[in-house]
C-alpha cells in the first residue's frame, strides 16, 4: 500500500470553519479561541504517560522470515513449511498524522478502528491519564497509532506506514486464509512467535524447566469499580477495557456489575490493560485535544481495579457515568444528545481539574461543530459525586435541546433553556440518586418549573419558594420535551403543554407559571 503524505486541504478546512460559524453559540460560553502555539509544560507532563525504551519489533515480515528459517534449521516440519508458504504482510502498523479536529473526527467516526495516542512498540515507564507527543503543540492533535489488516479501508487522514507486519496469531483466527490455515495445521505458530520474540530480545517469562514449553493461554477479564460519595464503591458500567500486547488488542465492555471479559483469541504472555474515558458517541478530554484514560498493569490474568483516592480518575469516572447514562441507558424516552456522525462528531466533554467560581459547567454548540473544541466544559471536581453527575446531565440536556432544532434553539429565551435543563437534571439524576432534590433556583433563568409539572404538590426541591403554589403534577419529562420544540418563551411553552395534553391539573399551570415569572 502506498503511503499518504501529510497534506493540508485548505479549502475543505476553511469550509468546515465557515460552516461552523453558521451555528450560533448556545448557552453560557463562547467558542474556544485557539491559543498561541505552545508545548506541554513540565507540570502538564507530570500527569502524562511516560514512554520507556523502543523495542525491536518481532512482528516485522523480515523478523518473522528469519524466525521461520531458524526453526527450519532443526525442525523438518518447519523447513517444509518455510518452503511452501510466503511470509507476506498481514497487517500494517500505522501512524496517523491528524492536522486538526476535523481529521480527528474522521478517525473517531470509524467505530472499528482501535487507536492509541502513543506508539505500540515502546515500553511504558509510568502510567498517566493521557499522552501527547511533546514535539506537537498542545492545540494540535497528537499522532494516532494502530495496527490494521493490509486491506483495511483507512479514513481519509494523512498517515505513515511504520512497519509491514506478519501476525500469525491473528491469521490463525481466519481459517480461510492460506498462510494462517497452514500454520494452524502445522502447530508451529507458538514456536514461530517465540523465535521472533527471542531474536528481537522480547521473549520473557520462559519456563525454567523447559525452554520450549508453551505457556497456557489466558483471556483478559476483570472488574472495574469506582468511588461514589453517596454509595461508596460502585460498579463502573459501559467502559471499554483494552488488553494490548505489541500490535494485538482485545477489548471487553464492563457490565452493570463492573465485570468485563475480552473477546477474541487469548494471549500466552503478558498484556497491558488500559482504557479511555470514551465511547463511540462521547469522550472525556484531559486537555484541549487529548482524551483522558488510564494505563493499567502489564500482567497475566485478571485485572480487578477500584478507582478511589485518585483525584482526576474519580472525576473522570463520574463524568463518564453520567454521559453513558444519557447516551446509552434508560432516559425515560427523552431524545439523545447529538450522535457521532456526519457534521455532528463525537461529543467532547473537557474536564478541567480546577475550581471555577462562576460556573460548574457550560455548553456551547459552536465549539463542537465539525469537531472544533469541546462542546461541554466541566469545573469544580471537588464537589460531591452526585453534583458532578447532575451537572453533566444538565449540560447534555442543552446539547440534546440544541440538536432537536438548532435554529429554534438559538432564538429560544435563556430562561426556557436553563429551566428545561434544570428539569432534566433533576429527573435523570434521581434515577441514580433517589433523594436528589435538583439544582438551586437562580432567578431569572434557573427555575423549578419543569420539576413542578412532574412532582406532587407536597414535594419540596432545592430553591422551592412556596409549596402552596404547586398544584400541577403528573406530566412526564418526554411530554414536556415534546412541547418544547418550536416554543421560545415560558408562556408559549406552557401553552403548548396545555394544547397538546388533556390533563386533570392543566388549569393550574397558569398560576404556577405566574409564580415563577
Amino acid at each position: 500500500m502506498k503511503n499518504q503524505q501529510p497534506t493540508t486541504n485548505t479549502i475543505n478546512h476553511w469550509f468546515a470553519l465557515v460552516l461552523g460559524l453558521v451555528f450560533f453559540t448556545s448557552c453560557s460560553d463562547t467558542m474556544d479561541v485557539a491559543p498561541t502555539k505552545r508545548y506541554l509544560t513540565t507540570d502538564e507532563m507530570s500527569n502524562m504517560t511516560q514512554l520507556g525504551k523502543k523495542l525491536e519489533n518481532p512482528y516485522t515480515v523480515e523478523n518473522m522470515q528469519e524466525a521461520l528459517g531458524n526453526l527450519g534449521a532443526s525442525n523438518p516440519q518447519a523447513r517444509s513449511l518455510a518452503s511452501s508458504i510466503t511470509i507476506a504482510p498481514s497487517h500494517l502498523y500505522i501512524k496517523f498524522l491528524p492536522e486538526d479536529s476535523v481529521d480527528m473526527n474522521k478517525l473517531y467516526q470509524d467505530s472499528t478502528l482501535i487507536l492509541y495516542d502513543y506508539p505500540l512498540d515502546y515500553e511504558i515507564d509510568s502510567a498517566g491519564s493521557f499522552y501527547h507527543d511533546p514535539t506537537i503543540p498542545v492545540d494540535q492533535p497528537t499522532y494516532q497509532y494502530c495496527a490494521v489488516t493490509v486491506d483495511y479501508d483507512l479514513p481519509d487522514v494523512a498517515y505513515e506506514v511504520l512497519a509491514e507486519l506478519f501476525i500469525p496469531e491473528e491469521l490463525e483466527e481466519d481459517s480461510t486464509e492460506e498462510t494462517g490455515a497452514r500454520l494452524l495445521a502445522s502447530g508451529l505458530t507458538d514456536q514461530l512467535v517465540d523465535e521472533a520474540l527471542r531474536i528481537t530480545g522480547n521473549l520473557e517469562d520462559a519456563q525454567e524447566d523447559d525452554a520450549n514449553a508453551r505457556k497456557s493461554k489466558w483471556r483478559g477479564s476483570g472488574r472495574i469499580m469506582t468511588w461514589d460519595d453517596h454509595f461508596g464503591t460502585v460498579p463502573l458500567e459501559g467502559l471499554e477495557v483494552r488488553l494490548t500486547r505489541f500490535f494485538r488488542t482485545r477489548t471487553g465492555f464492563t457490565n452493570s456489575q463492573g465485570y468485563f471479559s475480552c473477546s477474541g483469541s487469548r494471549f500466552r504472555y503478558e498484556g497491558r490493560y488500559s482504557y479511555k474515558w470514551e465511547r463511540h458517541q462521547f469522550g472525556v478530554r484531559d486537555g484541549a485535544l487529548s482524551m483522558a484514560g488510564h494505563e493499567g498493569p502489564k500482567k497475566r490474568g485478571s485485572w480487578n481495579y477500584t478507582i478511589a483516592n485518585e483525584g482526576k480518575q474519580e472525576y473522570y469516572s463520574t463524568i463518564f457515568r453520567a454521559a453513558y447514562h444519557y447516551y446509552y441507558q434508560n432516559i425515560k424516552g427523552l431524545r439523545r444528545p447529538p450522535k457521532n456522525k456526519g457534521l455532528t462528531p463525537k461529543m467532547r466533554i473537557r474536564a478541567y481539574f480546577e475550581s471555577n467560581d462562576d460556573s460548574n459547567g457550560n455548553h456551547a454548540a459552536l465549539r463542537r461543530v465539525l469537531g472544533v473544541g469541546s462542546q461541554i466544559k466541566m469545573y469544580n471536581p471537588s464537589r460531591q459525586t452526585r453534583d458532578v453527575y447532575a451537572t453533566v446531565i444538565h449540560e447534555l440536556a442543552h446539547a440534546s435541546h440544541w440538536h432537536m432544532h438548532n435554529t429554534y434553539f438559538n432564538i429560544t429565551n435563556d430562561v426556557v433553556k436553563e429551566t428545561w435543563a434544570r428539569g432534566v437534571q433533576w429527573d435523570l439524576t434521581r434515577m441514580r440518586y433517589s433523594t436528589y432534590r435538583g439544582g438551586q433556583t437562580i432567578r431569572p433563568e434557573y427555575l423549578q418549573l419543569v420539576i413542578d409539572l412532574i412532582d406532587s404538590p407536597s414535594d419540596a426541591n432545592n430553591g422551592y419558594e412556596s409549596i402552596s403554589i404547586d398544584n400541577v403534577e403528573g406530566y412526564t419529562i418526554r411530554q414536556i420535551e415534546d412541547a418544547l420544540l418550536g416554543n421560545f418563551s415560558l408562556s408559549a411553552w406552557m401553552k403548548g403543554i396545555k394544547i397538546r395534553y388533556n390533563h386533570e391539573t392543566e388549569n393550574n399551570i397558569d398560576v404556577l407559571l405566574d409564580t415563577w415569572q
Side-chain angles (χ1 to χ4, degrees):
M1 177 179 290
K2 185 177 180 181
N3 293 5
Q4 293 183 358
Q5 297 301 316
T7 59
T8 303
N9 192 332
T10 305
I11 294 176
N12 285 346
H13 287 196
W14 272 106
F15 173 75
L17 181 60
V18 171
L19 182 60
L21 293 175
V22 173
F23 296 89
F24 185 82
T25 288
S26 68
C27 198
S28 56
D29 204 1
T30 56
M31 181 180 179
D32 288 340
V33 177
T36 57
K37 182 178 290 189
R38 72 172 185 87
Y39 297 85
L40 289 169
T41 65
T42 302
D43 286 344
E44 289 170 329
M45 292 180 65
S46 66
N47 193 45
M48 186 175 80
T49 294
Q50 302 298 319
L51 301 181
K53 71 175 182 179
K54 189 178 190 300
L55 303 173
E56 185 178 352
N57 185 347
Y59 286 99
T60 65
V61 170
E62 295 77 13
N63 284 332
M64 280 290 172
Q65 189 69 61
E66 180 182 347
L68 184 58
N70 291 351
L71 291 181
S74 59
N75 185 323
Q77 186 181 17
R79 187 161 54 249
S80 173
L81 185 66
S83 65
S84 60
I85 68 170
T86 300
I87 299 293
S90 63
H91 293 73
L92 300 174
Y93 178 28
I94 298 292
K95 175 184 180 180
F96 284 108
L97 312 167
E99 295 181 359
D100 50 28
S101 291
V102 177
D103 280 347
M104 285 302 300
N105 183 54
K106 294 177 183 177
L107 297 177
Y108 286 143
Q109 289 196 350
D110 187 338
S111 61
T112 64
L113 200 60
I114 302 177
L115 297 169
Y116 292 83
D117 48 21
Y118 53 80
L120 298 172
D121 50 353
Y122 276 75
E123 289 185 340
I124 292 178
D125 274 354
S126 62
S129 61
F130 76 102
Y131 183 80
H132 191 95
D133 193 298
T135 66
I136 298 177
V138 295
D139 63 326
Q140 295 179 19
T142 195
Y143 303 129
Q144 301 291 312
Y145 301 86
C146 66
V148 296
T149 57
V150 291
D151 58 352
Y152 196 92
D153 186 13
L154 293 168
D156 182 23
V157 177
Y159 66 90
E160 296 175 0
V161 175
L162 298 180
E164 294 183 329
L165 308 174
F166 180 73
I167 308 180
E169 301 101 318
E170 301 296 296
L171 293 179
E172 277 197 339
E173 296 183 2
D174 183 3
S175 60
T176 64
E177 201 282 327
E178 181 180 358
T179 303
R182 294 291 302 277
L183 274 174
L184 180 62
S186 73
L188 293 173
T189 300
D190 290 350
Q191 294 180 47
L192 176 61
V193 172
D194 284 353
E195 179 62 15
L197 292 171
R198 187 192 67 78
I199 64 177
T200 56
N202 293 297
L203 184 62
E204 76 273 19
D205 301 330
Q207 295 183 7
E208 294 181 2
D209 58 341
D210 184 354
N212 294 319
R214 303 281 71 84
K215 279 188 168 294
S216 60
K217 293 184 178 181
W218 61 282
R219 184 177 302 283
S221 62
R223 191 182 195 192
I224 310 296
M225 308 286 283
T226 190
W227 179 257
D228 185 298
D229 296 326
H230 188 77
F231 298 110
T233 302
V234 297
L236 186 55
E237 183 177 1
L239 189 67
E240 182 181 35
V241 182
R242 298 175 177 183
L243 178 64
T244 308
R245 179 170 171 80
F246 281 104
F247 309 100
R248 302 180 66 203
T249 298
R250 296 292 176 262
T251 62
F253 293 94
T254 55
N255 63 19
S256 61
Q257 297 303 308
Y259 291 102
F260 69 92
S261 178
C262 295
S263 60
S265 63
R266 298 171 295 168
F267 285 4
R268 288 189 301 129
Y269 293 109
E270 291 180 337
R272 181 175 292 279
Y273 285 102
S274 66
Y275 57 75
K276 290 285 189 184
W277 292 113
E278 64 176 333
R279 292 293 299 262
H280 182 64
Q281 301 298 349
F282 70 88
V284 181
R285 280 178 165 174
D286 182 280
L289 293 170
S290 299
M291 289 296 179
H294 176 72
E295 294 298 321
K298 184 179 181 182
K299 60 175 296 187
R300 283 173 56 88
S302 297
W303 181 37
N304 298 306
Y305 176 49
T306 297
I307 304 167
N309 300 316
E310 294 192 39
K312 278 191 173 183
Q313 290 298 315
E314 285 186 35
Y315 184 40
Y316 298 150
S317 74
T318 303
I319 295 171
F320 177 90
R321 288 168 59 208
Y324 180 74
H325 180 181
Y326 214 133
Y327 267 104
Y328 292 95
Q329 297 181 300
N330 175 22
I331 55 172
K332 300 187 175 183
L334 289 173
R335 295 166 177 83
R336 305 286 181 184
K339 295 183 178 180
N340 178 12
K341 61 180 180 180
L343 298 180
T344 56
K346 181 192 291 282
M347 176 68 69
R348 275 87 160 188
I349 305 172
R350 184 170 179 181
Y352 287 84
F353 200 70
E354 60 188 53
S355 298
N356 185 324
D357 293 336
D358 297 324
S359 174
N360 290 321
N362 62 63
H363 157 268
L366 181 57
R367 292 196 299 248
R368 182 172 181 255
V369 175
L370 293 176
V372 180
S374 301
Q375 186 171 348
I376 292 173
K377 294 183 178 181
M378 292 288 299
Y379 303 96
N380 300 322
S382 61
R383 291 179 294 147
Q384 290 287 301
T385 305
R386 180 174 61 183
D387 295 329
V388 173
Y389 192 104
T391 299
V392 177
I393 296 295
H394 181 102
E395 303 307 335
L396 285 172
H398 283 314
S400 180
H401 187 184
W402 173 84
H403 189 54
M404 288 170 62
H405 199 300
N406 60 76
T407 301
Y408 288 163
F409 181 86
N410 295 335
I411 60 176
T412 297
N413 295 344
D414 285 346
V415 63
V416 173
K417 297 177 185 177
E418 299 300 345
T419 296
W420 166 244
R422 268 289 193 261
V424 178
Q425 169 185 337
W426 171 82
D427 209 12
L428 295 193
T429 302
R430 283 169 63 91
M431 295 179 72
R432 297 291 177 267
Y433 305 90
S434 60
T435 60
Y436 180 64
R437 296 180 61 196
Q440 291 290 334
T441 296
I442 306 175
R443 290 181 177 275
E445 295 172 354
Y446 296 79
L447 309 179
Q448 309 293 321
L449 181 58
V450 171
I451 299 172
D452 286 343
L453 292 172
I454 299 172
D455 68 358
S456 66
S458 61
D459 289 337
N461 295 294
N462 276 341
Y464 213 109
E465 298 178 358
S466 173
I467 294 178
S468 62
I469 53 87
D470 179 13
N471 292 311
V472 184
E473 63 179 318
Y475 287 94
T476 69
I477 194 71
R478 176 57 191 251
Q479 287 177 325
I480 300 169
E481 182 185 58
D482 286 343
L484 185 63
L485 185 61
N487 290 312
F488 318 127
S489 67
L490 285 181
S491 58
W493 185 16
M494 294 303 106
K495 181 179 180 180
I497 290 175
K498 292 191 294 181
I499 292 173
R500 276 177 172 265
Y501 312 111
N502 292 319
H503 197 279
E504 59 185 8
T505 63
E506 68 178 53
N507 291 331
N508 300 322
I509 288 180
D510 289 342
V511 174
L512 179 64
L513 177 61
D514 288 343
T515 301
W516 284 115
Q517 286 183 320

